[in-house]
Amino acid sequence: MEFILKFTALVIFTNVFGVAAAKKSNKLFDEDVPVSPKAAECVFDKQRYELGSLWTPDLGPPIGILSCMRCKCVPFQKKRRIVARVHCHSIKEQCPKPKCEEPIMLPGRCCKICPGDLSPETAQDILPQNIVEIEQNTNKHFVSLLTSLKANSLNETSLVATGRFSFKENSLYYSFYTSEKAGRPQKLQFIDTQGNILEEFSIFNSTNNPSYQDAPQKICGVWRRLPKGYQKMLRQEKIYAVLVWKTKGQELTISGSVKKNNALESELLSSLLKPEPTSNSIGAAGTAMVSLITNSTVKISVIFNGLFMPSEIANVPIKITLSLKKHLVFEETINILKPASDLNTIEFNVKMSEDNFTRLTKGEMILNIASVSNPQQLKLSGNIMTRATCEMFQATLASSEPGMSWLYLNNAGSLIYNVYIGNSSQPNASLVHANSKTMTEDTSLTLKVQENGWANGTMDKVTPEVLQSLYAGDLSINVATSSQKNIEGRLNVKYMDEARDSAAPVLLKEQSSLAMNSLGMAWVSVDSDCYLHYDVSLEGLKSDRKLELWMELYPIIAPGAPFINKPLESFQGTSIEGSPVEVLTRDELSMLENGVNYLKVKDAGSEVVLLMATVVKVPIPASCTPYNSLDKTVFLDDLPEVVQSDKCFFEGKFHKNEEIWVPANNSCQMCFCQNGKARCDLTTCPELSCTFGRKTIVEGECCPVCTNDSMIVSSAKGPKCVLNGKSYLSGSKFHPFLLPIGFDLCTECYCDHQQYQIKCIRLTNTEKCGNRKNVDINDPFSDDFMEKVRNPQITQKENPAVKVLSEGGCKNPINANKPYINGSKYHPFIDSLGEYKCVTCKCQDGNAQCSRQHCDKSTCKQMYEIKRKKGKVNASEFCCSLKDCRKMRYKKKAN
Ligand SMILES: *[C@@H]1O[C@H](CO)[C@@H](O)[C@H](O)[C@H]1NC(C)=O
Ligand SMILES: *[C@@H]1O[C@H](CO)[C@@H](O)[C@H](O)[C@H]1NC(C)=O
Ligand SMILES: *[C@@H]1O[C@H](CO)[C@@H](O)[C@H](O)[C@H]1NC(C)=O
Ligand SMILES: *[C@@H]1O[C@H](CO)[C@@H](O)[C@H](O)[C@H]1NC(C)=O
Ligand SMILES: *[C@@H]1O[C@H](CO)[C@@H](O)[C@H](O)[C@H]1NC(C)=O
Ligand SMILES: *[C@@H]1O[C@H](CO)[C@@H](O)[C@H](O)[C@H]1NC(C)=O
Ligand SMILES: *[C@@H]1O[C@H](CO)[C@@H](O)[C@H](O)[C@H]1NC(C)=O
Ligand SMILES: *[C@@H]1O[C@H](CO)[C@@H](O)[C@H](O)[C@H]1NC(C)=O
Ligand SMILES: *[C@@H]1O[C@H](CO)[C@@H](O)[C@H](O)[C@H]1NC(C)=O
């Protein structure tokens, strides 16, 4: 916000002073650029721009498009980092000189042109982010082997990692396995060949479910919206991944080039091969990719380095072994014809029994590759385990009550499942191959469903074939209930992203017949920089339907609750992942954590909600708190403290600002809402002396009334006087309750028992009335009050002031209840002066146009005359000063 304001001021400045200002400095606001959480991205006026974008700024009303300005998102070197910055400059100087005599200025353009010349303006907008580059035959999978480049006092040669990268829709999804010794690194960087940091990610401990995002030795994430330039570097293998640890004041880094790899397409299992702790071979490490060839054979590709003696330059034998608890399962020696200085690749096939196959997927087998000449020192080893890629498998289940499921593999090769089947009685559920209509015979694929419709569990025995089908998206969850047979939900493969860093997804349920038989699943999370992330997948809607994602945030579900309606994104298709440009506000964070929020899918431009999910208790990272200074447990009546709103939350209900009400608990209190704070006063009863009947306390009444026995009965049932939502028994006397003072002890009202009208009198000299003793009759407040009490039926809706304003009247800053009527002329009221006759205003359709009366010759003449006669003149009587008159004279002479 601050930035935008500053910026607006700057632009207005350059606009007004045009070329002159631009000449001084062609660049603007270098220092004021907001920091985008993405290094390679500019954020300008709530829009993201990729590095290299060029655009004409549009500041919206009232300033609009600045046709003479061009903004660019340019790279900027900040020590080792490359960050994107917005540079804007005037293009006026570059305008070509028109060749005709009478050039014209067309709206929306910067330069004058000759009539008829329709050639485009000099600089056109370039928004590379909108260009969809169709890339065929490009490899979308990359691998990296991260090792230390130098040895030091710490034995870090055994600190290694391997990465997997998948490029999809401008995003690079990454995952790493690190050697267990190091613990979790603090940072991940992507650098170029010169060592410049292109992007950096902080690696946090996940706030929630640590089993998938924070699995031991595993790092998952996504680099979104890679600029075109970086995409090219990635294709050319000119990007390096770096993991950074900070220990004991020292920074340890390991790095490796991000390389294309074909074996990743069919990878089923991975391995990180670590050097022996005693090895001092710098850069030694390896990674294996295991894929299935037949139901009894696997292919293993190994990428490695650091197993060669300096003298070994050709035909070097390498020994490979695969073992299961010290028992050898496979052994082979492969000759490397010409060892490469960076990475070497070997491939081999292993035939295995079914039993050994299963143990392979369970991470029990150890792969060893070693130099034949120096097998003790030059050796790499690691167990084969779940593939390094971070994935989630999810499906919706369209049973009578919709359900959902999400599954993932842990490092030990077990499949963790969470399935909600709904309320169906005695359902049976299992994993099946997609489109196979029968329940599987294989009991190992059965899911254990509990009474409450949930099936949460772990499947320990996952065969390579099941794994292969799972990764290929060929598995379904099949549910059979007593009423419905074979409800099937195809398990979609999803890369892990920020939004999936939440404990569980929410189910988007159909809300309208316009979205018949559709369902969805959504993940919502807040990251440590306080940005919201969402990941939504829909089923049952056409993939070309134009949709909008909205979020509605409520502090609590109560009548009149203030809410925030937040548009998230427009999209087309059946899934959307993203994050709003702006960081979440204090209120939004509070509502996400403590309130009730709705995620809504609508048709583009429509108000009809197609699908909706309820989102509650979104964990907020510690770095975003305290967004309020209160305790986490929020008391209902404290809500206004938490939610910035001028509404008041009281007794489970929201009241508008300035609303007056009688609390449900205590009819002898009156409350009003003032800027979000409810204030309640206990009724103060006026003194009462009865001229007839006697002073009685009637049940349900706060103040005593003068009455006799027959009257109590009749009036308790009969009509009453009503003021500000409180009813008064006929014959009762009371002080009215008014804003903003509460009970007005200077006024005494009486509910007339014949006409049921309220009659009031002003008290001028009672003790209670205190400093309000000498209220004059012009007191605007009292006028308004009198009006109200004379016509007690007038409710807020029919308020005459509101009516005048709605008919184009103008606000009266002195008395809000007496606005100026549309078309009327008036003198404004100035505090110290009273009505200021020298200024005349006219109210026209809600706008007041005021003008000051100016000195004229005759007025000045008159003033001089008085001055001559009386020695002085009261200038305010004339709306003109002698000084002004003198000026006028001087001007005339000059002319
Ligand atoms: C992350 O968790 C590990 C252990 O689970 C702990 O040692 C480490 O301090 C945590 N790091 C942060 C930044 O909280
Ligand atoms: C480093 O490795 C040597 C053996 O090569 C070992 O003696 C030493 O304790 C190790 N140091 C650390 C800090 O692990
Ligand atoms: C499986 O591996 C074990 C070694 O642990 C070996 O003894 C056994 O023969 C293997 N089974 C088959 C069928 O290959
Ligand atoms: C592999 O498939 C063949 C035929 O499809 C079958 O006879 C054999 O038992 C299977 N082997 C294993 C290990 O599942
Ligand atoms: C399950 O819920 C649906 C709708 O929520 C309802 O129509 C159905 O009767 C319920 N079935 C059982 C067995 O409770
Ligand atoms: C299953 O897991 C989900 C998500 O973690 C949870 O909401 C649900 O209560 C669990 N159900 C049971 C029966 O434990
Ligand atoms: C679920 O499985 C049990 C045991 O196999 C069977 O008796 C029951 O009929 C099945 N239920 C349904 C709804 O198919
Ligand atoms: C209203 O009364 C109920 C019960 O008499 C009590 O629990 C509650 O705290 C009261 N609320 C307020 C706002 O006084
Ligand atoms: C009560 O007061 C009303 C007038 O206020 C009068 O008409 C009526 O007679 C009185 N009744 C008694 C019993 O005094």
Side-chain angles (χ1 to χ4, degrees):
M1 199 60 184
E2 202 188 72
F3 161 71
I4 293 299
L5 289 181
K6 262 189 194 164
F7 166 69
T8 308
L10 255 168
V11 172
I12 291 172
F13 181 82
T14 39
N15 239 16
V16 170
F17 297 95
V19 185
K23 257 182 195 155
K24 242 185 217 165
S25 151
N26 223 22
K27 284 184 270 171
L28 287 175
F29 34 82
D30 245 354
E31 293 315 310
D32 282 327
V33 173
V35 180
S36 162
K38 293 267 179 295
E41 205 166 70
C42 295
V43 172
F44 182 91
D45 200 24
K46 301 182 189 174
Q47 288 246 333
R48 291 189 180 108
Y49 293 92
E50 182 184 315
L51 260 183
S53 306
L54 176 67
W55 69 97
T56 308
D58 179 359
L59 298 181
I63 297 162
I65 296 175
L66 306 174
S67 13
C68 280
M69 296 290 274
R70 284 293 180 279
C71 294
K72 251 185 191 169
C73 183
V74 294
F76 180 86
Q77 186 100 26
K78 207 172 165 186
K79 290 188 187 151
R80 265 187 69 210
R81 299 201 60 173
I82 293 180
V83 295
R85 288 203 150 172
V86 179
H87 274 209
C88 297
H89 64 278
S90 169
I91 55 161
K92 214 166 185 142
E93 286 165 278
Q94 294 154 26
C95 283
K97 224 183 159 74
K99 296 205 172 72
C100 51
E101 297 230 321
E102 284 182 0
I104 53 163
M105 188 81 190
L106 288 180
R109 297 187 66 129
C110 178
C111 304
K112 283 191 171 180
I113 49 162
C114 295
D117 176 10
L118 290 173
S119 60
E121 202 92 83
T122 45
Q124 288 293 297
D125 287 8
I126 303 168
L127 302 175
Q129 61 186 357
N130 295 330
I131 301 165
V132 180
E133 204 171 288
I134 299 155
E135 293 166 8
Q136 276 161 345
N137 304 325
T138 48
N139 200 323
K140 292 193 170 162
H141 299 284
F142 301 83
V143 68
S144 183
L145 200 55
L146 289 79
T147 58
S148 174
L149 296 175
K150 58 178 197 292
N152 60 29
S153 60
L154 293 152
N155 295 340
E156 75 199 69
T157 49
S158 57
L159 181 59
V160 293
T162 184
R164 302 286 184 273
F165 310 84
S166 303
F167 186 76
K168 191 185 153 201
E169 282 161 20
N170 293 343
S171 296
L172 188 67
Y173 294 85
Y174 56 77
S175 54
F176 296 91
Y177 268 140
T178 62
S179 47
E180 59 277 82
K181 201 178 163 193
R184 236 170 136 67
Q186 277 78 48
K187 276 188 233 161
L188 162 66
Q189 296 169 340
F190 288 98
I191 63 171
D192 66 11
T193 46
Q194 274 88 52
N196 295 312
I197 302 168
L198 307 177
E199 190 58 272
E200 183 174 277
F201 298 92
S202 291
I203 297 166
F204 293 96
N205 286 355
S206 166
T207 39
N208 309 300
N209 198 338
S211 52
Y212 53 90
Q213 285 281 49
D214 278 354
Q217 302 172 244
K218 200 159 184 178
I219 295 156
C220 305
V222 53
W223 179 7
R224 291 200 187 278
R225 300 180 298 275
L226 262 75
K228 288 285 172 291
Y230 293 0
Q231 290 180 25
K232 190 173 166 195
M233 286 164 69
L234 186 65
R235 284 197 302 273
Q236 296 172 338
E237 302 185 340
K238 284 181 178 168
I239 287 186
Y240 295 78
V242 183
L243 288 172
V244 184
W245 282 264
K246 278 184 183 147
T247 47
K248 299 177 197 127
Q250 239 191 324
E251 210 170 67
L252 291 184
T253 63
I254 56 172
S255 60
S257 155
V258 176
K259 293 199 174 269
K260 292 177 198 168
N261 194 290
N262 290 317
L264 289 171
E265 200 99 36
S266 55
E267 187 180 23
L268 221 51
L269 300 159
S270 306
S271 180
L272 170 64
L273 303 171
K274 287 154 282 195
E276 287 296 291
T278 53
S279 157
N280 54 13
S281 171
I282 294 166
T287 184
M289 288 155 272
V290 181
S291 53
L292 199 63
I293 296 184
T294 68
N295 65 356
S296 59
T297 314
V298 288
K299 184 175 92 179
I300 301 181
S301 308
V302 185
I303 296 171
F304 71 98
N305 205 358
L307 295 187
F308 307 104
M309 305 286 278
S311 57
E312 297 174 324
I313 48 168
N315 245 340
V316 188
I318 294 288
K319 188 177 172 189
I320 299 150
T321 59
L322 195 60
S323 55
L324 181 60
K325 293 192 181 122
K326 307 258 161 136
H327 293 280
L328 216 54
V329 175
F330 175 84
E331 187 177 24
E332 191 171 317
T333 301
I334 293 179
N335 268 338
I336 309 279
L337 290 179
K338 200 172 183 300
S341 60
D342 57 347
L343 295 179
N344 294 278
T345 306
I346 49 174
E347 275 183 9
F348 50 93
N349 293 349
V350 182
K351 224 170 148 58
M352 251 184 252
S353 68
E354 192 180 339
D355 176 48
N356 284 354
F357 233 161
T358 309
R359 303 179 81 164
L360 179 71
T361 62
K362 287 204 58 65
E364 290 174 23
M365 289 212 191
I366 298 192
L367 179 66
N368 260 293
I369 62 171
S371 155
V372 170
S373 53
N374 187 359
Q376 293 309 313
Q377 283 279 320
L378 301 181
K379 185 170 108 182
L380 299 170
S381 64
N383 51 335
I384 291 177
M385 55 208 277
T386 305
R387 86 175 189 192
T389 320
C390 299
E391 280 140 320
M392 179 82 89
F393 313 93
Q394 66 175 43
T396 53
L397 296 163
S399 44
S400 60
E401 196 202 338
M404 61 177 170
S405 56
W406 67 102
L407 296 78
Y408 57 89
L409 287 146
N410 66 10
N411 285 12
S414 300
L415 188 62
I416 317 287
Y417 59 85
N418 290 273
V419 185
Y420 181 66
I421 284 166
N423 59 355
S424 357
S425 60
Q426 296 175 318
N428 290 340
S430 66
L431 288 183
V432 297
H433 283 275
N435 306 321
S436 81
K437 285 288 167 227
T438 52
M439 295 289 279
T440 168
E441 298 291 309
D442 188 350
T443 51
S444 69
L445 295 180
T446 303
L447 311 175
K448 295 177 208 83
V449 186
Q450 289 164 17
E451 296 263 303
N452 59 3
W454 277 96
N456 293 349
T458 305
M459 202 177 274
D460 284 326
K461 198 179 154 218
V462 186
T463 63
E465 285 134 304
V466 167
L467 210 51
Q468 194 179 30
S469 304
L470 188 64
Y471 285 134
D474 286 339
L475 278 194
S476 290
I477 291 218
N478 185 302
V479 178
T481 70
S482 44
S483 56
Q484 273 174 292
K485 290 267 177 258
N486 298 326
I487 299 150
E488 202 171 297
R490 179 86 162 239
L491 287 163
N492 292 308
V493 187
K494 299 276 179 181
Y495 288 118
M496 212 64 93
D497 62 15
E498 306 94 333
R500 283 165 197 275
D501 190 20
S502 61
V506 289
L507 188 61
L508 283 152
K509 294 186 196 175
E510 174 191 327
Q511 302 293 312
S512 149
S513 56
L514 291 173
M516 200 92 91
N517 299 326
S518 62
L519 264 181
M521 272 173 82
W523 297 79
V524 175
S525 79
V526 174
D527 71 15
S528 49
D529 290 325
C530 317
Y531 284 86
L532 179 75
H533 296 272
Y534 48 82
D535 181 326
V536 176
S537 310
L538 305 175
E539 258 154 69
L541 294 178
K542 274 198 177 150
S543 62
D544 61 351
R545 195 153 168 178
K546 288 197 172 90
L547 301 165
E548 282 172 7
L549 188 68
W550 288 75
M551 189 128 184
E552 230 166 80
L553 304 108
Y554 290 84
I556 185 175
I557 296 305
F563 65 96
I564 298 172
N565 204 5
K566 200 176 168 67
L568 296 180
E569 197 161 343
S570 299
F571 66 105
Q572 193 169 1
T574 53
S575 72
I576 181 82
E577 295 174 13
S579 180
V581 181
E582 289 160 303
V583 71
L584 288 160
T585 65
R586 200 189 100 150
D587 286 352
E588 289 167 345
L589 286 166
S590 163
M591 294 190 202
L592 282 167
E593 189 174 34
N594 306 306
V596 179
N597 314 287
Y598 300 106
L599 194 66
K600 296 182 169 183
V601 177
K602 303 178 185 177
D603 272 320
S606 159
E607 275 307 303
V608 181
V609 178
L610 303 176
L611 290 153
M612 186 173 90
T614 309
V615 182
V616 293
K617 295 199 170 69
V618 178
I620 307 297
S623 51
C624 303
T625 53
Y627 52 82
N628 65 61
S629 52
L630 291 177
D631 218 42
K632 277 286 156 57
T633 50
V634 176
F635 297 104
L636 290 188
D637 279 351
D638 282 343
L639 266 179
E641 302 282 335
V642 184
V643 181
Q644 272 177 345
S645 157
D646 62 354
K647 286 190 166 192
C648 296
F649 187 74
F650 191 86
E651 292 180 333
K653 193 172 176 267
F654 283 89
H655 296 271
K656 280 195 206 122
N657 194 23
E658 307 212 325
E659 189 179 325
I660 297 175
W661 70 95
V662 182
N665 258 14
N666 189 343
S667 62
C668 287
Q669 275 191 349
M670 288 291 280
C671 302
F672 67 95
C673 175
Q674 198 173 33
N675 302 322
K677 249 195 144 58
R679 303 232 308 251
C680 299
D681 271 1
L682 198 62
T683 306
T684 312
C685 296
E687 276 162 31
L688 188 70
S689 51
C690 297
T691 50
F692 72 92
R694 58 198 143 75
K695 211 158 141 180
T696 327
I697 305 279
V698 179
E699 214 193 315
E701 284 297 300
C702 300
C703 294
V705 289
C706 294
T707 184
N708 58 25
D709 296 344
S710 63
M711 258 191 70
I712 294 170
V713 177
S714 67
S715 53
K717 287 181 180 165
K720 293 182 179 183
C721 298
V722 177
L723 178 69
N724 280 333
K726 177 148 180 70
S727 56
Y728 297 92
L729 209 59
S730 76
S732 61
K733 223 171 163 190
F734 57 92
H735 292 303
F737 187 84
L738 292 163
L739 283 179
I741 52 159
F743 286 103
D744 179 11
L745 305 182
C746 295
T747 307
E748 220 174 78
C749 298
Y750 173 69
C751 175
D752 178 272
H753 53 249
Q754 260 105 45
Q755 294 150 315
Y756 300 101
Q757 273 193 353
I758 297 171
K759 294 181 174 165
C760 299
I761 50 162
R762 297 291 280 174
L763 308 173
T764 50
N765 52 4
T766 68
E767 253 175 60
K768 280 197 229 164
C769 195
N771 59 1
R772 286 178 56 83
K773 239 177 223 173
N774 303 313
V775 193
D776 65 46
I777 34 166
N778 291 326
D779 179 1
F781 160 71
S782 95
D783 279 0
D784 166 55
F785 167 69
M786 287 304 181
E787 200 162 293
K788 255 192 196 164
V789 295
R790 270 193 297 274
N791 307 294
Q793 292 86 359
I794 290 175
T795 61
Q796 217 136 11
K797 252 190 237 158
E798 295 156 338
N799 188 326
V802 173
K803 190 161 177 271
V804 168
L805 287 176
S806 71
E807 287 166 352
C810 300
K811 280 187 182 162
N812 181 348
I814 299 304
N815 185 350
N817 293 302
K818 291 204 165 161
Y820 301 108
I821 293 166
N822 192 6
S824 67
K825 277 187 178 177
Y826 59 93
H827 300 302
F829 195 91
I830 292 170
D831 261 350
S832 51
L833 298 175
E835 195 177 47
Y836 195 50
K837 292 223 164 68
C838 299
V839 171
T840 304
C841 300
K842 183 165 187 208
C843 173
Q844 192 69 53
D845 300 327
N847 288 318
Q849 296 270 338
C850 299
S851 58
R852 197 182 194 288
Q853 196 173 315
H854 287 291
C855 303
D856 58 23
K857 226 165 125 190
S858 69
T859 315
C860 287
K861 210 171 158 188
Q862 220 179 334
M863 285 172 80
Y864 282 126
E865 205 137 296
I866 294 172
K867 171 128 203 255
R868 207 168 341 112
K869 277 185 194 155
K870 297 188 178 169
K872 65 176 182 181
V873 60
N874 184 356
S876 67
E877 257 175 53
F878 296 91
C879 301
C880 191
S881 71
L882 290 176
K883 205 172 155 190
D884 290 336
C885 291
R886 273 194 293 276
K887 261 192 201 159
M888 221 164 67
R889 267 187 169 173
Y890 172 77
K891 239 182 169 174
K892 260 204 180 132
K893 272 181 192 161
N895 282 351

